[in-house]
């Protein structure tokens, strides 16, 4: 099956969920720096890896359509060069995975109305950017991915994560000529040569932090212990994360918000710091983004937007990202690239 095929071309292999654009806009959510595993495989269709499987998603009016591809037989990688075929989904399970990933049980329009009532600036931009919601990602993948965001931009981060998965992850399938791999396991990233291999892949100083955090988790909390941070208070989860190699306040808040159910977490990079100062008039002194500034900005937005402040910030972040792009034609910008400001933070 070709990626360009529309849902109607193969109806028995596609399923849909009710999901109006006010609840979810794939083009905004999947390209704005929350995740780095999706690409626009054809106009309006997004293909990527979720939960160890390859998916293609697309929206048509008030429906979210999806298909899931079967795993490639590892013992027969080169069978006549044929691409993977789409697998008939186990509907109840795949529906659950998507609903959980996009947190579709959270009603977005009511939140937009509440944020707009509290904040005229939010109200001014929200109508042009509906359906921006926070993803609920695997904690290990989210953590190790965001370690790579320090002093980086979206298109480069995406390429780094692709190289990481190809080098260390299990191959899942091939669509047309493109191979897809699962995100690496902790054990794959804790070998003696992991840091050197990551440096060879262009990770630079981040190599020691990716391998170091993978090792610290494997030898400490474990993947399940990291996931269990979903049940502890935000401050405690943040403290645990900040003790890991290469994890500062911004990375910890990204993981808290996008993987650990801490909707009040407000990730602050230099870009968000600038928004707080220039648009909201926050008088934060100094020339660097200090721990105190992180706390003050987060507290300000939590006071303004309430218990889902991180979700509201995601809307403004996405709006600012799109408004700062050049006209269509740049693949970098079509994928969400914005220069260093997209995920800029001082190296640990």
């Amino acid at each position: 099956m070709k990626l360009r095929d529309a849902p109607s071309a193969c109806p028995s292999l596609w399923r849909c969920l009710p999901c109006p654009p006010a609840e979810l806009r794939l083009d905004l959510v999947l390209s704005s720096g929350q995740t780095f595993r999706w690409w626009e495989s054809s106009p309006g269709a997004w293909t990527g890896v979720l939960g160890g499987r390859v998916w293609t998603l697309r929206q048509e009016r008030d429906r979210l359509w999806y298909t899931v591809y079967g795993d490639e037989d590892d013992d027969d990688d080169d069978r006549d060069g044929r691409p993977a075929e789409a697998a008939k989904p186990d509907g109840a399970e795949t529906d659950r995975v998507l609903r959980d990933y996009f947190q579709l049980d959270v009603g977005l329009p009511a939140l937009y109305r509440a944020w707009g009532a509290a904040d005229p600036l939010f109200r001014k931009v929200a109508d042009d950017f509906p359906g921006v919601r926070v993803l609920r990602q695997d904690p290990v993948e989210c953590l190790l991915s965001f370690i790579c965001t320090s002093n980086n931009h979206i298109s480069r981060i995406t390429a780094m994560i692709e190289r990481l998965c190809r080098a260390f992850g299990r191959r899942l399938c091939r669509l047309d000529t493109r191979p897809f791999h699962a995100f690496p396991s902790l054990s794959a990233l804790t070998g003696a040569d992991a840091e050197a291999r990551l440096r060879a892949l262009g990770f630079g100083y981040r190599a020691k932090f990716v391998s170091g955090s993978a090792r610290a988790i494997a030898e400490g909390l474990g993947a399940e212990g990291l996931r269990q941070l979903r049940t502890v208070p935000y401050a405690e989860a943040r403290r645990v994360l900040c003790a890991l190699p290469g994890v500062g306040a911004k990375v910890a808040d990204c993981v808290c918000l996008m993987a650990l159910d801490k909707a009040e977490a407000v990730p602050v990079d230099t870009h968000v710091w600038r928004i707080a100062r220039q648009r909201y008039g926050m008088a934060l002194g100094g020339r660097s983004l200090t721990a105190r500034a992180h706390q003050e900005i987060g507290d300000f937005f939590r006071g303004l937007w309430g218990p889902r402040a991180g979700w509201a910030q995601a809307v403004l972040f996405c709006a600012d990202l799109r408004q700062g792009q050049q006209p269509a034609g740049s693949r970098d910008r079509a994928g969400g690239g914005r220069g260093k400001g997209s995920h800029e933070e001082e190296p640990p």
Side-chain angles (χ1 to χ4, degrees):
M1 179 176 174
K2 300 298 184 182
L3 295 181
R4 61 178 177 270
D5 289 346
S8 58
C10 202
S12 65
L13 298 182
W14 288 80
R15 287 180 60 86
C16 69
L17 295 173
C19 190
E23 291 288 1
L24 172 65
R25 279 274 303 272
L26 288 177
D27 60 323
L28 297 179
V29 173
L30 297 181
S31 68
S32 58
Q34 289 193 52
T35 176
F36 309 100
R37 301 301 314 276
W38 296 90
W39 64 294
E40 193 172 11
S41 48
S42 64
W46 295 82
T47 298
V49 180
L50 168 62
R53 288 179 279 195
V54 180
W55 307 63
T56 294
L57 315 176
R58 65 183 304 136
Q59 286 180 283
E60 291 186 356
R61 296 179 294 277
D62 60 350
R63 294 287 185 268
L64 172 62
W65 289 90
Y66 72 87
T67 192
V68 186
Y69 297 90
D71 281 2
E72 191 172 68
D73 184 349
D74 292 337
D75 295 327
D76 194 16
D77 270 357
D78 297 318
R79 55 186 190 283
D80 303 323
R82 290 176 294 160
E85 295 295 327
K88 187 173 183 178
D90 174 353
E93 171 61 15
T94 51
D95 284 1
R96 186 199 64 77
V97 170
L98 276 192
R99 292 192 65 85
D100 182 74
Y101 184 62
F102 288 110
Q103 305 201 67
L104 294 180
D105 290 340
V106 177
L108 207 52
L111 289 174
Y112 268 59
R113 288 192 294 271
W115 297 326
D119 178 6
L121 178 58
F122 182 94
R123 186 167 62 249
K124 183 178 178 181
V125 301
D127 286 347
D128 292 327
F129 296 90
V132 177
R133 56 176 53 247
V134 172
L135 301 173
R136 190 178 196 238
Q137 302 180 55
D138 173 77
V140 170
E141 178 173 344
C142 186
L143 171 65
L144 298 182
S145 295
F146 274 93
I147 287 174
C148 299
T149 66
S150 174
N151 281 336
N152 219 339
H153 57 83
I154 291 173
S155 60
R156 186 165 182 263
I157 300 163
T158 300
M160 290 172 66
I161 299 302
E162 177 71 9
R163 294 195 298 271
L164 174 75
C165 294
R166 289 194 182 197
F168 293 92
R170 178 174 64 89
R171 180 159 154 168
L172 299 173
C173 71
R174 182 174 61 253
L175 299 179
D176 294 334
T177 60
R178 179 172 180 149
F180 287 80
H181 296 74
F183 196 85
S185 64
L186 286 174
S187 60
L189 294 170
T190 55
D193 64 342
E195 180 180 339
R197 290 176 64 192
L198 288 167
R199 287 188 180 276
L201 292 172
F203 278 63
Y205 68 85
R206 303 172 192 86
K208 67 178 179 180
F209 297 139
V210 171
S211 60
S213 278
R215 185 173 300 107
I217 296 167
E219 295 174 353
L221 287 170
E224 184 55 33
L226 187 64
R227 184 179 298 272
Q228 287 302 313
L229 293 179
R230 289 173 171 173
T231 65
V232 307
Y234 164 49
E236 182 179 345
R238 196 172 189 263
R239 177 185 58 77
V240 171
L241 292 172
C242 285
L244 295 170
V247 179
K250 174 250 179 175
V251 171
D253 278 332
C254 286
V255 179
C256 282
L257 176 64
M258 302 172 200
L260 298 180
D261 299 343
K262 314 305 179 201
E264 70 270 41
V266 178
V268 179
D269 61 4
T270 55
H271 179 72
V272 175
W273 182 34
R274 178 178 59 80
I275 290 175
R277 297 178 71 178
Q278 295 181 2
R279 300 191 185 184
Y280 288 90
M282 292 190 66
L284 297 173
R287 301 182 62 183
S288 62
L289 187 50
T290 64
R292 178 181 176 183
H294 271 278
Q295 189 66 44
E296 289 181 352
I297 293 170
D299 288 345
F300 170 78
F301 285 128
R302 282 185 282 274
L304 178 64
W305 293 325
R308 288 193 179 271
W311 284 56
Q313 184 262 3
V315 178
L316 287 193
F317 186 94
C318 179
D320 200 80
L321 178 67
R322 288 301 182 102
Q323 291 168 350
Q325 291 170 1
Q326 291 180 350
S330 165
R331 180 58 190 150
D332 180 3
R333 299 185 194 283
R338 176 189 57 189
K340 291 179 71 174
S342 56
H343 279 291
E344 189 172 4
E345 182 185 32
E346 293 297 322

